[in-house]
Amino acid sequence: DVQLVESGGGLVQPGGSLRLSCAASGYTYRSNCMGWVRQAPGKEREGVAAIYSGRGITHYADSVKDRFTISQDNAKNTVYLQMNSLKPEDTGMYYCASAVLACYSAIPPPGDFAYWGQGTQVTVS
């Protein structure tokens, strides 16, 4: 299995920044696509960013494009989500997730991610 542990959430004012981290361990070779999925209260899970681990190809939801940046440090088996210009609507639980299949062209639907972290809360207020 793959274990994912997120960190870096918190409370921030609108316009502020946060960086989330996701440390992966276990059978990380099974993680060809790493993503960040968020869930706001009363809403469905929404994929916000993903990275095709093998080539560093990135994808973003329209709602976060030009504000969020996903990156990876393969030596540390860690994926990051840099979030800038945060808005109240970015509030939610943010989950790191990994998929076995590579994400060549888009963020996979949440149901396609095989492994999930426990989540980290981001509150913009």
Side-chain angles (χ1 to χ4, degrees):
D1 283 352
V2 176
Q3 291 81 44
L4 304 172
V5 179
E6 305 99 332
S7 60
L11 173 64
V12 64
Q13 293 183 343
S17 298
L18 282 174
R19 188 176 83 154
L20 307 183
S21 299
C22 172
S25 60
Y27 296 117
T28 56
Y29 67 90
R30 294 179 179 174
S31 300
N32 289 304
C33 179
M34 298 295 297
W36 289 93
V37 177
R38 70 183 178 191
Q39 186 167 26
K43 294 188 177 181
E44 295 184 351
R45 291 187 176 186
E46 171 195 21
V48 296
I51 185 166
Y52 170 24
S53 303
R55 297 189 179 180
I57 298 172
T58 58
H59 312 288
Y60 298 95
D62 287 343
S63 58
V64 306
K65 202 168 292 183
D66 299 327
R67 298 188 299 121
F68 289 12
T69 302
I70 187 170
S71 62
Q72 60 185 7
D73 184 333
N74 291 329
K76 296 182 179 180
N77 285 330
T78 300
V79 174
Y80 303 97
L81 185 68
Q82 178 66 43
M83 306 185 294
N84 298 328
S85 302
L86 283 161
K87 304 176 181 180
E89 51 263 43
D90 294 318
T91 294
M93 186 70 77
Y94 282 70
Y95 298 92
C96 177
S98 72
V100 176
L101 296 178
C103 43
Y104 294 103
S105 59
I107 301 171
D112 285 2
F113 286 104
Y115 304 101
W116 293 78
Q118 81 288 351
T120 185
Q121 178 68 35
V122 172
T123 302
V124 185
S125 178

